[in-house]
């Protein structure tokens, strides 16, 4: 057992820290969030240059041979800066699915340019009725000549406004909510028949509602096997969950640090409010919560490549439960300890709080993953 | 002892309900149930209707124009209005400054200010907090210096709710430097139109504008606007805070919140059924429902003591603490009920009467913003920590 970072990993961490320090001051982030796109192409180009877009992919896929620990390192720093560039949908989800299920041709056409920073993705899985059930999919793909025709609706598709390609989870067979009978399609974002309603999210990211009206794609649009996408999707989402957990630990570190600083300097009754024991203990609980979150994220990052899907799923759900719990505790406590300042848009605390809250809602909240973990653990 | 209502109280509840149905605009009512923000008119039109009926200042004694209701009638009034989707009565006039004026003011002041409060023709805001005086209110620095028959006021108030709608602000000011609060603070009424009063918005987490900074720059205030004696304003200030804490538990709106939450659970899809089929979720609703019942019964016990002539003791702090936790919990569960569709941010649907359609279900747009916003309830009106300090000191003798 060895839980220390390698020299390269330390360098990666330093580089990511530096990026956040230089490019993601609170005021800078505000500007980026308010810009048309909601993220900066020059930052994306820098990610490509630094090798972050390819770090987690194997060398044969054109990457640099890293893995989940590298993703964890970078995502954690992104959490500290509340970075807005669409790394999760493009690299972790899109790139991840293409790497795990794509053909040689698809990898060449899509993964290689993604690593160079020239292509972005969005993953469309959720529908109005799905809640957190990845198999609750009714968007239909029907055979049309050699290819397929897609019709239906997808919701809260992150990065859809900027994506070049949308990876769509569609039903090709089976009944509602059946894991069997699902297929992934890689669709050109500008394809005829796709209409978009774009919007910002609570935490200043960009997403869309998508309507597919008889969108025609060729046979080569299928990613992986027809009717058999569920295991690919579940694996990719588990990976995304662990990446989100790493982002959340970064958010927690930052919000705790800001709060600690605040209670050391804000004075009431003639003393810094950090002198009041009730706040001291709450601050201690914040740190303990962040520690637990970091531990579970590390454990999940180390188990996410396990060959046994149950080990992987339990690790991802376990970490997500912890992040939900810790994120809520740190977020709510930070706001409370800031008093009125905590509920304004003016300080960074409320922005971290919003992001932590949204992370809990993404890909299943604390309760959902507790149930998933519990079912898997009871079945063993 | 009896929980059942007497026939005359049932008739009273029917009368209140009929009044609400007749006078509450459908648009305002709709905002309540969909969780949108009210604008000034939503509040004012409704409050003025209540004022005409003589019901706005419903906690006041008959002598000052109150309806003279008993505890049961007040309870029914508040509950029926919440069920009907009425906006809460903004407390600054009828619940805060009004009672201070009729308790500590001169006859001339009562005559001058009470009618406008009772009718809601004049709207008020509360100028207590300052950047350096939040929990430590006595640390306030705003200075009022007597010059002939005026005070010249300089300083900054902050967190002033609805100052941008306010005609008047009641302020705590320091009339004697470097002395104990009991000997140096005065309670002053200031017309917001006086030169030197500037209001600057503070934007909240969810993007809403409710609170403001209020800058007071050489503001000339006639001495007849002083309530009580100079340097004795701390008594008024504390009298008001005790009243504020009592009304702030918001039981009726939490009851409505629980019922709306159950409706949302019945509407939210889950695995071919609805979220209402998920016992893990519905048990959490039941849990908060029971907390509301405990709070309501505790509040009724306090009110019943008051009806027999007792004063609300420092125990009301526990009601404020629980009341805020409950409001926060309901907002949290509502957001969780909405799930992924709580993520889209639609300010247009929250703050403006646009024709925008919701991105997810109708109940989705306000869910997360409301959760963020409700964090304020354990901060304002005396934070949870401060309330617990009060209980441990005043009730438990620690
Ligand atoms: C099962 C058991 C085994 C033990 N074994 C040993 C042993 O092997 N060797 C040994 O030397 N001792 C031992 N102890 C004693 C133990 O260390 C003491 O009980 C402990 O230090 C607490 O002291 P106390 O019981 O006097 O409680 P107190 O110190 O009187 O504390 C009472 C309560 O006040 C709280 N409190 C005290 N000070 C503060 C403060 N500054 N801020 C906030 N809260 C405060 C405490 O947390 C506690 O809740 C043992 C005790 C137990 C119960
Ligand atoms: C939405 C909103 C509306 C408001 N409306 C008004 C208004 O209309 N008029 C008005 O005058 N004011 C208003 N306020 C101000 C409100 O009363 C103050 O925010 C509140 O008193 C807390 O003060 P503060 O924000 O300065 O926090 P601080 O006093 O700085 O408190 C920061 C943290 O320290 C804790 N703390 C402070 N002292 C102690 C202690 N002794 N022991 C333990 N913990 C402590 C607090 O509990 C809090 O967690 C409003 C506030 C909000 C958020």
């Amino acid at each position: 057992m060895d839980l220390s970072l390698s020299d390269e990993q330390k360098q990666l961490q330093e580089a990511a820290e530096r990026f956040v320090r230089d490019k993601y001051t609170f005021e800078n982030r505000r500007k980026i969030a308010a810009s048309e796109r909601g993220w900066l192409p020059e930052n994306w180009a820098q990610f490509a240059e630094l090798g972050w877009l390819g770090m987690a992919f194997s060398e044969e896929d054109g990457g640099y041979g890293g893995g989940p620990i590298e993703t964890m390192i970078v995502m954690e720093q992104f959490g500290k800066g509340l970075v807005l560039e669409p790394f999760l949908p493009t690299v972790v989800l899109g790139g991840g699915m293409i790497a795990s299920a794509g053909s040689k041709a698809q990898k060449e056409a899509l993964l290689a340019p993604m690593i160079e920073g020239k292509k972005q993705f969005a993953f469309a899985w959720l529908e109005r009725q799905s809640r957190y059930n990845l198999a609750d999919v009714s968007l239909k793909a029907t055979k049309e000549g050699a290819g397929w025709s897609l019709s239906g609706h997808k919701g809260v598709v992150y990065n859809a406004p900027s994506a070049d390609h949308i990876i769509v989870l569609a039903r090709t067979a089976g009944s509602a909510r059946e894991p069997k009978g699902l297929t992934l399609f890689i669709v050109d974002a500008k394809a005829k028949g796709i209409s978009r309603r774009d919007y910002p999210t609570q935490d200043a990211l960009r997403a869309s509602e998508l309507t597919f009206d008889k969108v025609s794609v060729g046979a080569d649009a299928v990613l992986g096997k027809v009717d058999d996408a569920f295991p690919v999707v579940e694996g990719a989402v588990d990976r995304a969950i662990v990446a989100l957990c790493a982002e959340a630990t970064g958010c927690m570190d930052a919000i705790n640090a800001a709060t600690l600083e605040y209670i050391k300097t804000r004075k009431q009754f003639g003393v810094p409010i950090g002198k009041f024991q009730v706040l001291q203990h709450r601050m201690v609980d914040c740190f303990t919560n962040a520690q637990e979150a970091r531990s579970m994220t590390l454990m999940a990052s180390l188990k996410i490549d396990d060959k046994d899907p149950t080990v992987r799923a339990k690790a991802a759900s376990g970490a997500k439960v912890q992040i939900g719990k810790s994120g809520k505790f740190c977020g709510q406590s930070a706001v409370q300890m800031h008093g009125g300042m905590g509920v304004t848009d003016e300080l960074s605390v409320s922005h971290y709080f919003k992001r932590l809250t949204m992370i809990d809602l993404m890909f299943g909240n604390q309760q959902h993953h507790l149930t998933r973990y519990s079912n898997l653990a009871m079945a063993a | 002892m009896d929980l059942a209502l007497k026939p005359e109280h049932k008739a009273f509840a029917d009368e209140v309900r009929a009044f609400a149905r007749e006078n509450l605009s459908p648009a305002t009512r709709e905002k309540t149930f969909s969780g949108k923000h009210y604008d000034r008119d939503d509040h004012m039109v409704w409050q003025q209707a209540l004022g005409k009926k003589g019901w706005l200042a419903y906690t006041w004694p008959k002598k000052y124009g109150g309806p003279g209701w008993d505890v049961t009638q007040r309870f029914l009034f508040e509950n029926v209005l919440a069920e009907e989707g009425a906006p809460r009565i903004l407390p600054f006039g009828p619940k805060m400054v009004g009672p201070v004026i009729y308790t500590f003011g001169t006859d001339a002041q009562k005559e001058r200010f009470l009618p406008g409060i009772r009718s809601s023709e004049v709207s008020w805001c509360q100028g207590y907090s300052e950047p350096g005086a939040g929990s430590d209110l006595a640390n306030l620095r705003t200075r009022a210096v007597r010059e002939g028959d005026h005070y010249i006021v300089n300083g900054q108030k902050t967190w002033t709710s609805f100052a941008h709608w306010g005609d008047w602000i009641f302020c705590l000011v320091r009339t004697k430097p470097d002395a104990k609060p009991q000997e140096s603070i005065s309670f002053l009424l200031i017309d917001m139109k006086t030169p030197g009063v500037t209001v600057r918005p503070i934007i909240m987490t969810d993007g809403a504008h409710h609170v403001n900074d209020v800058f007071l720059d050489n503001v000339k205030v006639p001495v007849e606007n002083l309530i009580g004696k100079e340097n004795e304003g701390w008594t008024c200030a504390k009298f008001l805070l005790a009243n504020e804490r009592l009304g702030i538990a918001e039981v009726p709106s939490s009851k409505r919140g629980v019922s709306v939450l159950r409706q949302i659970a019945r509407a939210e899809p889950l695995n071919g059924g609805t979220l209402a089929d998920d016992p893990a979720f519905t048990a959490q609703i039941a849990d908060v429902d029971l907390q509301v019942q405990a709070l309501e019964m505790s509040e009724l016990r306090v009110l019943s003591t008051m009806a027999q002539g007792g004063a609300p003791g420092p125990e009301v702090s526990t009601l404020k603490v629980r009341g805020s936790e409950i409001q926060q919990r309901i907002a949290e569960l509502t957001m969780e009920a909405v799930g992924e569709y709580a993520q889209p941010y639609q300010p247009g649907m929250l703050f403006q009467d646009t024709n925008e359609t919701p991105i997810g279900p109708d109940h989705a747009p306000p869910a997360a913003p409301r959760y963020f916003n409700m964090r304020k309830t354990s901060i304002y009106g005396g934070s949870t920590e401060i309330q617990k300090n009060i209980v441990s000191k005043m009730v438990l003798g620690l």
Side-chain angles (χ1 to χ4, degrees), chain A residues 111-328:
Chain A
L111 199 54
M114 182 211 79
I115 290 172
E116 288 168 31
K118 302 218 170 79
K119 274 199 190 300
Q120 290 205 350
F121 306 126
F123 176 38
W125 66 276
L126 183 85
E127 298 176 9
R128 180 59 199 95
Q129 81 291 346
S130 314
R131 187 160 284 265
Y132 303 131
N133 184 349
L134 295 172
D136 197 340
V137 170
S138 64
L139 182 141
K140 260 205 153 48
T142 43
K143 274 264 184 208
E144 184 190 64
W148 299 81
S149 170
L150 277 60
S151 285
H153 171 260
K154 290 286 173 185
V156 200
V157 184
Y158 278 92
N159 200 38
S162 293
D164 302 286
H165 297 274
I166 296 167
I167 302 179
V168 185
L169 184 61
R171 185 155 293 285
T172 38
S175 55
R177 297 180 298 284
E178 209 182 316
K180 194 85 189 141
L182 296 176
T183 306
L184 284 167
F185 294 90
I186 306 175
V187 185
D188 189 319
K190 290 185 202 66
K192 202 166 148 271
I194 300 182
S195 45
R196 259 188 13 232
R197 180 177 179 189
D198 300 342
Y199 48 82
T201 56
Q202 305 290 343
D203 46 356
L205 295 170
R206 302 302 166 95
S208 311
E209 298 299 289
L210 299 177
T211 307
F212 292 75
D213 182 19
K214 300 196 198 81
V215 176
S216 297
V217 294
D220 58 353
V222 173
L223 174 62
K225 294 194 200 101
V226 173
D227 292 346
D228 213 11
F230 190 73
V232 176
V233 170
E234 216 184 14
V237 168
D238 278 340
R239 262 165 241 278
I241 284 172
V242 177
L244 271 176
C245 289
E247 184 185 344
T249 60
C251 289
M252 280 181 239
D253 279 352
I255 203 173
N256 285 347
T259 306
L260 179 61
E261 178 63 26
Y262 192 79
I263 68 172
K264 280 180 176 170
T265 45
R266 166 70 174 166
K267 279 193 179 156
Q268 286 289 269
F269 305 98
V271 293
I273 56 175
K275 288 284 173 216
F276 301 120
Q277 195 175 50
V278 64
L279 298 196
Q280 291 171 348
H281 286 193
R282 190 144 182 184
M283 197 71 240
V284 170
D285 289 338
C286 287
F287 275 90
T288 310
N289 265 283
Q291 291 297 331
E292 289 172 312
R294 164 156 293 111
S295 299
M296 289 299 277
T297 301
L298 179 60
M299 184 197 69
S301 298
L302 291 167
K303 287 186 175 179
I304 197 73
D305 274 344
D306 199 284
K307 301 225 165 21
D308 180 351
T310 308
V311 171
R312 183 204 70 210
K314 279 167 70 183
S317 282
K320 194 72 170 32
V321 170
Q322 182 67 55
I323 253 69
K325 209 188 299 179
S326 293
K328 188 178 280 179

Side-chain angles (χ1 to χ4, degrees), chain B residues 71-135:
Chain B
V71 168
T72 311
Q73 283 172 306
R74 285 188 199 178
F75 169 80
L76 289 170
F77 178 71
E78 290 167 0
N79 276 273
V80 170
L81 293 191
E83 286 164 19
E84 290 299 317
R88 76 178 179 125
I89 293 173
L90 294 179
F92 311 103
K95 293 210 174 153
M96 292 184 177
V97 75
V100 168
I101 293 171
Y102 67 63
T103 308
F104 300 97
T106 62
D107 286 341
Q109 288 170 331
K110 289 178 204 171
E111 240 163 77
R112 181 171 171 211
F113 292 109
L114 295 184
I117 298 174
R118 275 197 312 260
S119 66
S120 201
E121 296 298 330
V122 179
S123 67
W124 286 81
C125 57
Q126 178 186 24
Y128 272 32
S129 304
E130 297 180 8
S135 298

